[in-house]
Amino acid sequence: MNVITDFYQFKYSRDSYYIDLFINTKALLIIEQALDEILSSFYTTKDEQCAYMRLKELFKSSREATNSMYAEVRMNKCYIKYIKNLYCYFASRIEYAPLKILNEYLQVFMIEDIENISTFINLNEDIKVRVLSNI
């Protein structure tokens, strides 16, 4: 099992699996609030919990690392599925509109690399948690 996990950690940690984004810091704060809400109010699987916590840390550190209106976020493509799920939870809530914009933008990357992202989505939940914890 460790060999399989190590392979996927290596595979999904390569530079080609990362997306560099510039996101408005206010939008990041709103997305962080959505992440807080889903983590505290909804049932989520282990891999979703891990992904949402990692995304929250990523967005918060990116937002706090800049004095600019926009923060640079370097996100792994494995998180696209979780952003989409987060958007689906809050699609009817107007206060989370930045989530819709981010989701729509990321869908371009998902279509571009659908084979590899599908492979990740179909992994065992424990393997996904280990991979997400290390990317």
Coordinates of all heavy atoms in Angstrom, one line a residue, residues 30-31 33-42 86-101:
I30 N -14.1 35.0 1.4 CA -15.4 34.5 1.3 C -15.4 33.0 1.1 O -16.1 32.2 1.7 CB -16.2 35.2 0.1 CG1 -16.5 36.6 0.5 CG2 -17.4 34.4 -0.2 CD1 -16.9 37.5 -0.6
I31 N -14.4 32.5 0.3 CA -14.2 31.1 0.0 C -13.8 30.4 1.3 O -14.3 29.3 1.6 CB -13.3 30.8 -1.1 CG1 -13.9 31.4 -2.4 CG2 -12.9 29.3 -1.3 CD1 -12.9 31.4 -3.6
Q33 N -14.7 31.3 4.3 CA -15.9 31.2 5.1 C -16.7 30.0 4.6 O -17.3 29.3 5.5 CB -16.7 32.5 5.0 CG -16.0 33.6 5.7 CD -16.7 35.0 5.3 OE1 -17.5 35.1 4.5 NE2 -16.2 36.0 6.0
A34 N -16.8 29.8 3.3 CA -17.6 28.6 2.8 C -16.9 27.3 3.3 O -17.6 26.3 3.7 CB -17.6 28.6 1.3
L35 N -15.6 27.3 3.3 CA -14.9 26.1 3.8 C -15.1 25.9 5.3 O -15.3 24.7 5.7 CB -13.4 26.2 3.5 CG -13.0 26.1 2.0 CD1 -11.6 26.7 1.8 CD2 -13.1 24.7 1.5
D36 N -15.1 26.9 6.0 CA -15.4 26.8 7.5 C -16.8 26.2 7.7 O -17.0 25.4 8.5 CB -15.4 28.2 8.2 CG -14.0 28.7 8.5 OD1 -13.1 27.8 8.6 OD2 -13.8 29.9 8.6
E37 N -17.7 26.8 6.9 CA -19.1 26.3 7.1 C -19.3 24.9 6.7 O -20.0 24.1 7.4 CB -20.1 27.2 6.2 CG -21.5 26.9 6.5 CD -22.5 27.9 5.8 OE1 -22.1 29.0 5.5 OE2 -23.6 27.4 5.5
I38 N -18.7 24.4 5.6 CA -18.9 23.0 5.2 C -18.2 22.1 6.2 O -18.7 21.0 6.5 CB -18.4 22.8 3.8 CG1 -19.0 21.5 3.2 CG2 -16.9 22.7 3.7 CD1 -19.0 21.3 1.8
L39 N -17.1 22.5 6.8 CA -16.4 21.7 7.7 C -17.1 21.6 9.0 O -17.0 20.6 9.7 CB -14.9 22.2 8.0 CG -13.9 22.0 6.8 CD1 -12.7 22.8 7.0 CD2 -13.6 20.5 6.8
S40 N -17.8 22.6 9.4 CA -18.5 22.6 10.7 C -20.0 22.2 10.6 O -20.6 21.7 11.6 CB -18.4 24.0 11.3 OG -19.1 24.9 10.6
S41 N -20.6 22.3 9.4 CA -22.1 22.1 9.4 C -22.5 20.9 8.5 O -23.7 20.5 8.5 CB -22.7 23.3 8.8 OG -22.4 24.4 9.6
F42 N -21.7 20.3 7.7 CA -22.1 19.2 6.8 C -21.3 18.0 7.1 O -20.1 18.0 7.6 CB -21.8 19.7 5.4 CG -22.7 20.8 4.9 CD1 -22.3 22.1 5.0 CD2 -23.9 20.5 4.3 CE1 -23.1 23.1 4.6 CE2 -24.7 21.5 3.8 CZ -24.3 22.8 4.0
L86 N -17.7 21.9 -3.3 CA -18.0 23.0 -2.5 C -19.0 24.0 -3.1 O -19.9 24.4 -2.5 CB -16.7 23.7 -2.1 CG -16.8 24.8 -1.1 CD1 -17.2 24.3 0.3 CD2 -15.4 25.5 -1.0
Y87 N -18.7 24.2 -4.4 CA -19.6 25.1 -5.1 C -21.0 24.5 -5.2 O -22.0 25.2 -5.0 CB -19.1 25.4 -6.6 CG -20.2 25.9 -7.5 CD1 -20.7 27.2 -7.3 CD2 -20.7 25.2 -8.5 CE1 -21.7 27.7 -8.1 CE2 -21.7 25.7 -9.3 CZ -22.2 26.9 -9.1 OH -23.2 27.4 -9.8
C88 N -21.1 23.2 -5.4 CA -22.5 22.6 -5.5 C -23.2 22.7 -4.2 O -24.4 22.9 -4.2 CB -22.3 21.1 -5.9 SG -21.8 20.9 -7.6
Y89 N -22.5 22.6 -3.1 CA -23.2 22.8 -1.8 C -23.8 24.2 -1.6 O -24.8 24.4 -1.0 CB -22.2 22.6 -0.6 CG -21.9 21.2 -0.2 CD1 -20.6 20.6 -0.4 CD2 -22.9 20.3 0.3 CE1 -20.3 19.3 0.0 CE2 -22.6 19.0 0.7 CZ -21.3 18.5 0.5 OH -21.0 17.3 0.8
F90 N -23.1 25.2 -2.2 CA -23.5 26.6 -1.9 C -23.9 27.3 -3.2 O -24.0 28.5 -3.2 CB -22.3 27.3 -1.3 CG -21.9 26.8 0.1 CD1 -20.6 26.2 0.2 CD2 -22.8 26.9 1.1 CE1 -20.3 25.7 1.5 CE2 -22.4 26.4 2.4 CZ -21.1 25.8 2.5
A91 N -24.3 26.6 -4.2 CA -24.7 27.2 -5.5 C -25.8 28.2 -5.4 O -25.9 29.2 -6.1 CB -25.0 26.1 -6.5
S92 N -26.7 27.9 -4.4 CA -27.9 28.8 -4.3 C -27.7 30.0 -3.4 O -28.6 30.8 -3.2 CB -29.1 28.0 -3.8 OG -28.8 27.5 -2.5
R93 N -26.5 30.1 -2.8 CA -26.2 31.2 -1.8 C -25.4 32.3 -2.5 O -24.2 32.1 -2.9 CB -25.5 30.6 -0.6 CG -26.2 29.4 0.0 CD -26.6 29.6 1.4 NE -25.8 30.3 2.3 CZ -25.1 29.7 3.3 NH1 -25.1 28.4 3.5 NH2 -24.4 30.5 4.1
I94 N -26.0 33.4 -2.7 CA -25.4 34.5 -3.4 C -24.2 35.0 -2.7 O -23.2 35.5 -3.4 CB -26.5 35.7 -3.6 CG1 -26.0 36.7 -4.6 CG2 -26.8 36.3 -2.3 CD1 -25.9 36.2 -6.0
E95 N -24.1 34.9 -1.4 CA -22.9 35.4 -0.7 C -21.6 34.6 -1.1 O -20.5 35.1 -0.9 CB -23.1 35.5 0.8 CG -23.2 34.1 1.5 CD -24.7 33.6 1.6 OE1 -25.5 34.0 0.8 OE2 -24.9 32.9 2.6
Y96 N -21.8 33.5 -1.7 CA -20.6 32.7 -2.1 C -20.4 32.7 -3.6 O -19.9 31.8 -4.2 CB -20.8 31.2 -1.6 CG -20.7 31.1 -0.1 CD1 -21.7 30.4 0.6 CD2 -19.7 31.7 0.7 CE1 -21.7 30.3 2.0 CE2 -19.7 31.6 2.0 CZ -20.7 30.9 2.7 OH -20.6 30.8 4.1
A97 N -20.8 33.8 -4.2 CA -20.6 34.0 -5.7 C -19.2 33.8 -6.1 O -18.9 33.2 -7.2 CB -21.2 35.3 -6.1
P98 N -18.2 34.2 -5.4 CA -16.8 34.0 -5.8 C -16.4 32.5 -6.0 O -15.6 32.2 -6.9 CB -15.9 34.6 -4.7 CG -16.8 35.6 -4.1 CD -18.2 35.1 -4.2
L99 N -17.1 31.7 -5.3 CA -16.9 30.2 -5.4 C -17.4 29.7 -6.8 O -16.7 28.9 -7.4 CB -17.7 29.5 -4.3 CG -17.3 28.1 -3.9 CD1 -15.9 28.0 -3.7 CD2 -18.1 27.7 -2.7
K100 N -18.5 30.3 -7.3 CA -19.0 30.0 -8.6 C -18.0 30.4 -9.7 O -17.7 29.6 -10.6 CB -20.3 30.7 -8.9 CG -20.8 30.4 -10.3 CD -22.1 31.2 -10.6 CE -22.6 30.8 -12.0 NZ -23.7 31.6 -12.4
I101 N -17.4 31.6 -9.6 CA -16.4 32.1 -10.5 C -15.2 31.2 -10.5 O -14.7 30.8 -11.6 CB -16.1 33.5 -10.3 CG1 -17.3 34.4 -10.5 CG2 -14.9 34.0 -11.1 CD1 -17.3 35.8 -9.9

